[in-house]
Amino acid sequence: MNKKILSFIMASSALVLGACSVQTEDEVNDSGTDTNQNVETTEKVSLEILGMGSNETDMNIVRDQLIKHGFDVELNTQPDYASYNSQKEAGNYDLVMNSWTTVTGNPDYAVRSLFITDGDYSTISNDEVDRLINEAALETPDNYVDTYTELEDTLVTENAYIVPLYNSLKAQAFNNNLLDSESIRLSKSRAFAWEPVSFVDEAMNETETVMYTQTISDLTSLDPIKANDGSINQLNTNMYVRLVNLSDDDQVVSDGSLSYNYAIAEGNEEYYFVLRDDINFAKVENDEAVDTGEMVSGQDVIYSLNRAKNPDSVPDHRTFSLHEHIDEVSLVEDLSELEDINLSDGSGNMLDALGKDLDSPIETLVEEADDVDNAAGDYQVVKLTTTEPFPQVLNYLGHQSAGIVSQKQLEAVNTYDIDSFDLNEDVPYGDQRAVTEGDSYDNHLYASGPYIMLKKNDYEATFQRNPGYMTNSDHSANIKNASVRFISDEDSALSALRAEEIHFLYGLNETKYDIVEEEDNLELQSMPSNGVSYMGFNMDDREVSESKDLRKSILYAISQEEINSAYEGNKLKAYSTLSPLIDTGNELTADPQKVEDFYEAYLENQ
């Protein structure tokens, strides 16, 4: 998705029922998946692994490992995300290779959408998994490690709902002859921020286009609540401002957000944000970004977050589970209320916390956007109440799905009836058809962030700086024009960087690091990421759906060490999507004896 989400969801391969020849002792030892055990394998069921061509390396390694343990494996390799997703929705797989990035930096995001019953991307239903996810969500970091460890044990050790493969490094490369190295941020979780980027020659910021890239050209939706994948995570993050942001090391901050300051009230159920008044919505007219003159207001915040938490606010809502702990969002009207509220850490009152370092102190709280004037001391303060004490709500407010949209524009565009919505007839806000060149083009976007998309085709999407975004601050976008080239093949993207056809490559395979490091005009940045690759099982009407023993047999056939060697040792071990965030002590070790034992248990229960 990287989420990332990117998060994005990556390819996997399909497993079909069949048989394979018995593995010899030498073959077991040569595979790297066995240390001191000599186990004769038996013929096993066939497995179908679904995936995309971009994940070919992982698919081939996993296939070979499973074959060595007696499974017959068929790869269902799709050329792009759209066809891959169609195969996945049709259930044409036993195993599917996924990738998940915890782009909010908090462990609840690493598990809720993926594994809770009826989660946005969940295919499992387990009462104990649900209980542990909800219990850990309400605990502080000092207490939730044990709960998340128990969750991981239930998810992987006991039920083998997923097969973990590895935790990746996060890497990006850029042309340091053209782009100023000091302006390039590498963040652990959040998508790449475009607004700080500058050319070395600052005069080029107004005349030249900075060229980025991403693999997926088919955009799920530019409505931030309707998508949570690698096709839009970077784009929506840069098109919609949020109440808070994540720093490069995953701390929740107000820097570059819609709020000057935020604070938590005693009891951890009430969260307050003092809003800035120097962000206007942008729209597109005659292929140019223009300032609408409409301030991003507290009313837009209330509207955006209420629709974000409501699963029925739009057809195909894909992010509501991230915001289900939001109870009420409102504007504070009485200044004295803030003076009477103590902070959660006992360090003072709410008014002092919200007013810290403001150019003008808070003199008046106003309700109407037209009455806001920060320079005169007239501010809007948003109060968000959660259903129960839930500090992780702040991380979710930094996610692209909490981007602030224009109530006026959304209501003008989304005139369809939800119950009778027809995708063939209705074009909802954020639908890529509205920004795609051709007969369907009718750009209706209102962007609250530093950039707005002008248009797209199969080759690229073009963007322009929001002329109404923090124009007199350090957070206004430096470069006027940006392009995102759609290059699905990683090698082709790297070639484009080397040929100066693009300036920045977001995401780089570990096997290509040395190529970048050997070129003087290229610079590599890398760090451990929150991204985990894993295989998920088809939990609907397949052999693997019904038998956890069969799933465990497959689990212990996988050697993470062997996979890591294919990436020159640059992958990190993982046991679940929680691994980059919490040290549970769990580790997957390939074990041929367990492969056979669990397979025998599976056969006995047939």
Side-chain angles (χ1 to χ4, degrees):
M1 169 213 24
N2 153 54
K3 250 180 15 316
K4 276 278 351 353
I5 143 132
L6 274 228
S7 188
F8 55 94
I9 297 182
M10 298 170 64
S12 138
S13 333
L15 306 160
V16 226
L17 294 176
C20 180
S21 58
V22 176
Q23 185 183 21
T24 67
E25 178 180 330
D26 288 342
E27 287 173 328
V28 174
N29 292 331
D30 289 343
S31 72
T33 61
D34 183 64
T35 53
N36 299 311
Q37 302 178 70
N38 296 322
V39 179
E40 183 177 345
T41 63
T42 57
E43 293 182 349
K44 299 180 176 66
V45 297
S46 235
L47 302 170
E48 182 183 6
I49 306 178
L50 170 64
M52 292 187 296
S54 59
N55 203 253
E56 182 179 10
T57 298
D58 293 345
M59 293 170 70
N60 287 337
I61 295 172
V62 167
R63 176 197 60 197
D64 292 347
Q65 290 180 348
L66 290 168
I67 287 174
K68 288 176 182 177
H69 287 280
F71 291 97
D72 183 37
V73 180
E74 178 181 329
L75 300 183
N76 180 359
T77 307
Q78 296 298 313
D80 53 44
Y81 180 76
S83 55
Y84 155 79
N85 199 47
S86 295
Q87 288 287 302
K88 186 176 180 181
E89 291 181 352
N92 296 330
Y93 68 94
D94 291 295
L95 281 163
V96 58
M97 192 170 290
N98 300 321
S99 181
W100 181 261
T101 299
T102 302
V103 295
T104 58
N106 63 310
D108 188 70
Y109 181 86
V111 293
R112 181 170 296 275
S113 290
L114 296 176
F115 307 124
I116 202 165
T117 300
D118 295 327
D120 302 321
Y121 297 101
S122 178
T123 61
I124 69 174
S125 179
N126 182 296
D127 290 343
E128 183 66 4
V129 168
D130 293 351
R131 181 187 71 80
L132 291 167
I133 289 174
N134 288 323
E135 180 179 324
L138 306 182
E139 297 175 333
T140 64
D142 293 337
N143 298 319
Y144 64 38
V145 173
D146 288 344
T147 308
Y148 280 122
T149 300
E150 187 178 354
L151 169 63
E152 197 173 67
D153 287 336
T154 304
L155 185 71
V156 184
T157 313
E158 296 176 13
N159 291 287
Y161 286 129
I162 65 171
V163 179
L165 300 178
Y166 52 77
N167 169 211
S168 294
L169 297 177
K170 184 175 185 177
Q172 56 195 33
F174 59 93
N175 186 318
N176 57 19
N177 282 349
L178 293 173
L179 298 184
D180 180 3
S181 299
E182 296 299 318
S183 72
I184 306 296
R185 293 173 51 184
L186 176 63
S187 302
K188 184 173 177 62
S189 293
R190 67 165 287 176
F192 181 67
W194 295 350
E195 66 267 28
V197 179
S198 173
F199 285 108
V200 173
D201 179 359
E202 294 184 2
M204 295 172 61
N205 288 347
E206 296 299 318
T207 61
E208 301 298 319
T209 299
V210 61
M211 292 174 288
Y212 306 116
T213 185
Q214 72 175 39
T215 59
I216 303 174
S217 62
D218 186 31
L219 309 182
T220 306
S221 178
L222 300 172
D223 180 343
I225 68 171
K226 292 192 66 175
N228 188 17
D229 58 65
S231 75
I232 51 76
N233 189 37
Q234 180 182 188
L235 311 186
N236 284 350
T237 296
N238 286 287
M239 283 209 298
Y240 299 98
V241 74
R242 296 158 298 283
L243 278 178
V244 292
N245 279 323
L246 285 184
S247 67
D248 293 344
D249 60 353
D250 285 354
Q251 301 302 305
V252 178
V253 296
S254 289
D255 298 343
S257 76
L258 183 57
S259 68
Y260 286 115
N261 294 308
Y262 76 89
I264 308 172
E266 189 175 29
N268 293 322
E269 292 186 43
E270 296 176 349
Y271 302 78
Y272 292 80
F273 309 84
V274 58
L275 305 187
R276 55 192 309 147
D277 66 353
D278 59 351
I279 302 177
N280 290 348
F281 289 104
K283 65 179 180 180
V284 176
E285 288 184 352
N286 300 320
D287 291 336
E288 292 284 327
V290 298
D291 182 353
T292 64
E294 300 169 21
M295 186 187 76
V296 182
S297 69
Q299 286 81 2
D300 295 308
V301 171
I302 294 169
Y303 174 78
S304 299
L305 297 183
N306 278 335
R307 71 191 294 267
K309 72 170 185 172
N310 178 7
D312 300 319
S313 61
V314 290
D316 198 24
H317 194 330
R318 300 195 181 188
T319 60
F320 64 87
S321 68
L322 304 183
H323 305 292
E324 61 187 5
H325 284 92
I326 296 176
D327 184 24
E328 184 178 357
V329 189
S330 61
L331 286 172
V332 181
E333 300 178 16
D334 185 357
L335 191 64
S336 63
E337 176 185 335
L338 301 180
E339 294 179 298
D340 295 335
I341 297 172
N342 294 321
L343 300 179
S344 62
D345 61 4
S347 63
N349 69 42
M350 184 61 63
L351 181 60
D352 290 342
L354 295 180
K356 183 179 180 181
D357 297 328
L358 295 182
D359 290 339
S360 300
I362 303 173
E363 300 287 351
T364 308
L365 297 183
V366 299
E367 183 175 2
E368 298 301 323
D370 290 342
D371 296 330
V372 175
D373 185 351
N374 291 174
D378 303 326
Y379 292 85
Q380 286 187 319
V381 169
V382 168
K383 174 184 176 181
L384 184 150
T385 305
T386 54
T387 55
E388 47 199 335
F390 186 56
Q392 291 191 53
V393 71
L394 290 169
N395 294 78
Y396 287 126
L397 294 178
H399 185 250
Q400 65 88 20
S401 63
I404 307 305
V405 297
S406 164
Q407 179 176 1
K408 169 188 168 183
Q409 184 68 358
L410 266 289
E411 290 179 343
V413 174
N414 288 349
T415 58
Y416 55 80
D417 181 79
I418 291 180
D419 293 334
S420 59
F421 176 77
D422 184 349
L423 187 59
N424 295 316
E425 299 290 335
D426 300 312
V427 179
Y429 179 86
D431 192 302
Q432 68 171 343
R433 290 173 291 181
V435 294
T436 300
E437 294 176 344
D439 294 340
S440 67
Y441 182 84
D442 183 21
N443 194 324
H444 58 222
L445 297 177
Y446 260 47
S448 60
Y451 284 89
I452 186 170
M453 182 185 291
L454 303 180
K455 56 188 174 183
K456 76 172 286 283
N457 52 36
D458 291 339
Y459 174 66
E460 68 176 342
T462 56
F463 296 79
Q464 198 167 92
R465 179 174 58 205
N466 177 353
Y469 185 83
M470 302 193 197
T471 52
N472 295 315
S473 78
D474 294 336
H475 299 290
S476 60
N478 287 319
I479 297 177
K480 181 179 180 180
N481 294 299
S483 169
V484 175
R485 301 281 176 85
F486 301 127
I487 307 175
S488 60
D489 180 71
E490 292 181 357
D491 289 340
S492 297
L494 180 55
S495 295
L497 178 67
R498 299 174 72 189
E500 297 189 5
E501 296 170 4
I502 60 172
H503 302 135
F504 180 92
L505 178 56
Y506 183 63
L508 183 69
N509 189 292
E510 289 89 342
T511 61
K512 308 299 181 183
Y513 287 4
D514 58 337
I515 296 176
V516 173
E517 292 171 331
E518 289 170 0
E519 301 210 9
D520 293 338
N521 67 324
L522 300 184
E523 186 169 328
L524 174 71
Q525 296 176 332
S526 68
M527 66 188 302
S529 77
N530 286 344
V532 172
S533 290
Y534 67 96
M535 292 190 293
F537 287 99
N538 187 337
M539 297 304 295
D540 184 21
D541 198 28
R542 292 268 182 151
E543 290 294 311
V544 293
S545 315
E546 306 300 324
S547 173
K548 67 180 179 182
D549 289 317
L550 177 56
R551 297 196 298 269
K552 288 181 182 180
S553 180
I554 295 167
L555 173 71
Y556 289 107
I558 302 304
S559 168
Q560 292 188 358
E561 288 82 0
E562 187 175 316
I563 297 173
N564 191 23
S565 67
Y567 291 95
E568 300 182 3
N570 287 316
K571 296 294 187 184
L572 307 173
K573 290 187 175 183
Y575 201 71
S576 78
T577 47
L578 290 166
S579 295
L581 306 167
I582 296 172
D583 183 9
T584 64
N586 285 323
E587 185 175 314
L588 178 62
T589 301
D591 190 329
Q593 187 61 61
K594 288 183 178 179
V595 174
E596 298 306 315
D597 290 347
F598 282 119
Y599 194 79
E600 289 299 320
Y602 155 69
L603 293 176
E604 290 174 2
N605 290 317
Q606 294 305 294

